[in-house]
Amino acid sequence: SRAGRAEIGGDPEPVSNVEIFVGLKPVSDWTSASNRQALQGLMEQRMSVHPGLLFSFSQPIATRVDELLSGVKAPLAIKLFGPDLATLASIGKKIEGLVRKIDGTRGVEMEQITGEAQLVIRPNRDALARYGIPVAQVMDLVANAIGGMKAGQVINGNERYDITVRLDSNHRNSVEAIQNITLQASNGAWVRLADVAQVKIESGPPQIRRDDVQRRVVIQSNVEGRDMGGLVAQIRQRIDDEIDLPAGYTVVFGGQFENQQRAQDKLMIVVPVSLGLIFLMLYFAFNSVGQSLLIMLNVPLAMIGGIVALFISGQYLSVPGSIGFIALFGVAVLNGVVMINAINQRIADGLPCQQAVFEGAVSRLRPVLITAATTALGLIPILMATGIGSEVQQPLATVVVGGLFSATLLTLVVIPALYSFFSKQTNAM
């Protein structure tokens, strides 16, 4: 267990943070659950008897990164912004009930924004006016008597410690004791605090959270059995159709979804730029737009296998999967380069086009198959992994292995079949 702020200055956790780490045995030694999802369900069931707990299952580092980037720890966080806390609580409860009914959500909870016991002291201005006591005198009395005031310092070498003076705990540990604190009026009379102010315990928000200077409340949820993008699209549509948001109130989706969207937006720029650079380098290498396009045909051929592999394995397109597609494009294009280069060499030696295509394809059969086989076999351990972090690595390996399978088979058939069509201008030269 660990209590308080971390020693690292950039850690987002507050001073009031308490963490309990539970070490798990190897999966083979588990008796109550067979996988991580089942174990999470049992933990949530056992801990649900304690009110006020919000459950979010993630990795320690991932949790810190999520909180640093989006301000929440949950995989999916629905942020509701608005000026009034009571309205935020009311609308937040409606959104919470709506999200609970949607398939793919688990552990839907709204963060606590009420129920914190607070000592509230409200001056009675009419009574203060009768005694000639300013409001500031009441506030100073409360601040100094209960909170304390600095009376000096203790110096020990380079260390300095403030000396704080306040009332003894017996005179400030209850509402009645605080009500009996006395203050002196301008005419010299002594007056009890209860005679000039209202002192009571009220329920209030434990913390008012803000993003971009706006008050917000978060409804968090874990995602199970669905892709996060499709789930968010359905939740957004249901909120728009079924909940009427007042003016000044907005809904924003955050958590891991926000990080995923940020990464995908960057990939939408990186992937086209990468493909454009690959095409440019192919053109410089072969000096032929047609042959460059023919090699780039490997990209959609590779995507077919990657998408089918994700579908068969029941996985969803994620950031690791997108990165796997980028790596897959490079391997697929390399196979095409090897094939086209072998055919071009035979045409340069004077062979007819059809014979050059046939001999070139046959000569490159073994290298292409060995390249694909060694790459796929190297990813098999990641594909079959079940340990910590495997849920991040598996989509990448699944995409590459599936894409290599389709790209290799189709490369050996499609490129030789279409070579003469895409290379008419080159052959004529």
Side-chain angles (χ1 to χ4, degrees):
S1 301
R2 186 176 68 184
R5 184 186 295 275
E7 296 179 358
I8 302 176
D11 195 285
E13 296 297 345
V15 178
S16 58
N17 180 61
V18 177
E19 291 183 348
I20 301 175
F21 293 92
V22 179
L24 299 179
K25 296 180 180 180
V27 179
S28 59
D29 297 338
W30 292 4
T31 57
S32 57
S34 59
N35 52 51
R36 182 173 61 88
Q37 287 73 21
L39 181 62
Q40 289 176 185
L42 291 175
M43 288 182 175
E44 184 175 353
Q45 181 180 356
R46 293 290 182 87
M47 297 295 290
S48 60
V49 297
H50 303 284
L53 294 181
L54 301 181
F55 300 99
S56 176
F57 297 97
S58 182
Q59 303 292 335
I61 297 178
T63 300
R64 291 290 193 274
V65 173
D66 291 340
E67 189 168 12
L68 282 171
L69 295 179
S70 61
V72 293
K73 303 177 183 179
L76 176 60
I78 305 171
K79 300 180 182 180
L80 176 63
F81 293 91
D84 183 67
L85 286 178
T87 306
L88 286 175
S90 175
I91 300 176
K93 283 296 182 182
K94 295 180 181 178
I95 296 178
E96 178 187 0
L98 183 149
V99 175
R100 284 182 185 274
K101 302 175 183 178
I102 298 178
D103 293 335
T105 60
R106 183 183 180 91
V108 181
E109 295 288 347
M110 185 179 73
E111 64 182 5
Q112 183 180 359
I113 61 173
T114 58
E116 179 78 8
Q118 299 178 349
L119 175 65
V120 180
I121 300 175
R122 290 190 176 88
N124 186 332
R125 296 182 181 273
D126 293 336
L128 289 173
R130 287 197 300 270
Y131 289 104
I133 301 174
V135 175
Q137 182 178 345
V138 177
M139 297 295 100
D140 290 341
L141 173 68
V142 172
N144 297 332
I146 300 176
M149 63 180 298
K150 180 180 176 181
Q153 277 190 336
V154 175
I155 301 176
N156 182 18
N158 292 330
E159 300 175 356
R160 285 172 169 78
Y161 303 95
D162 291 337
I163 301 174
T164 303
V165 179
R166 61 178 177 175
L167 290 179
D168 185 72
S169 59
N170 293 331
H171 300 286
R172 55 180 171 81
N173 59 2
S174 65
V175 174
E176 291 75 16
I178 296 174
Q179 287 176 337
N180 291 327
I181 296 176
T182 57
L183 65 161
Q184 192 173 22
S186 58
N187 58 4
W190 290 94
V191 182
R192 294 170 59 248
L193 182 61
D195 297 332
V196 293
Q198 183 185 44
V199 182
K200 64 178 183 177
I201 301 293
E202 293 184 358
S203 177
Q207 184 178 4
I208 299 178
R209 295 176 174 85
R210 291 179 172 86
D211 283 356
D212 298 330
V213 201
Q214 295 188 69
R215 292 181 176 181
R216 55 96 167 160
V217 62
V218 172
I219 302 93
Q220 70 175 40
S221 172
N222 296 305
V223 181
E224 271 191 9
R226 288 193 63 178
D227 66 296
M228 193 172 294
L231 178 61
V232 169
Q234 183 179 357
I235 294 175
R236 181 182 282 117
Q237 185 64 41
R238 292 284 299 274
I239 291 176
D240 293 339
D241 295 341
E242 302 179 24
I243 296 181
D244 185 18
L245 295 178
Y249 291 81
T250 57
V251 172
V252 176
F253 292 87
Q256 293 181 12
F257 171 76
E258 183 179 355
N259 302 335
Q260 178 179 324
Q261 288 296 110
R262 187 183 296 112
Q264 288 183 350
D265 290 341
K266 292 182 179 179
L267 288 174
M268 293 296 292
I269 300 174
V270 172
V271 172
V273 171
S274 300
L275 294 177
L277 291 176
I278 291 174
F279 178 82
L280 190 62
M281 294 177 68
L282 290 174
Y283 177 76
F284 289 151
F286 293 99
N287 196 27
S288 169
V289 175
Q291 291 188 356
S292 300
L293 291 174
L294 179 60
I295 295 174
M296 292 299 294
L297 189 61
N298 279 339
V299 171
L301 299 182
M303 290 183 63
I304 294 173
I307 294 173
V308 171
L310 288 175
F311 177 77
I312 294 176
S313 61
Q315 301 179 40
Y316 306 102
L317 181 61
S318 58
V319 174
S322 301
I323 296 174
F325 273 113
I326 296 176
L328 176 63
F329 295 161
V331 178
V333 168
L334 177 61
N335 290 339
V337 170
V338 170
M339 180 72 69
I340 295 296
N341 187 57
I343 298 174
N344 286 345
Q345 286 180 354
R346 282 158 177 78
I347 290 180
D349 292 339
L351 292 180
C353 182
Q354 296 298 327
Q355 184 179 354
V357 170
F358 178 79
E359 293 186 5
V362 172
S363 67
R364 295 296 95 188
L365 175 62
R366 182 179 297 176
V368 170
L369 289 177
I370 292 177
T371 300
T374 53
T375 305
L377 290 175
L379 292 173
I380 291 298
I382 298 178
L383 194 62
M384 305 302 294
T386 57
I388 297 174
S390 60
E391 65 273 8
V392 176
Q393 301 169 353
Q394 282 182 345
L396 188 150
T398 301
V399 166
V400 174
V401 173
L404 283 176
F405 184 79
S406 67
T408 302
L409 294 180
L410 295 175
T411 296
L412 296 173
V413 175
V414 174
I415 287 184
L418 298 178
Y419 176 84
S420 59
F421 176 78
F422 280 90
S423 303
K424 290 179 180 179
Q425 181 180 1
T426 304
N427 294 336
M429 295 174 60

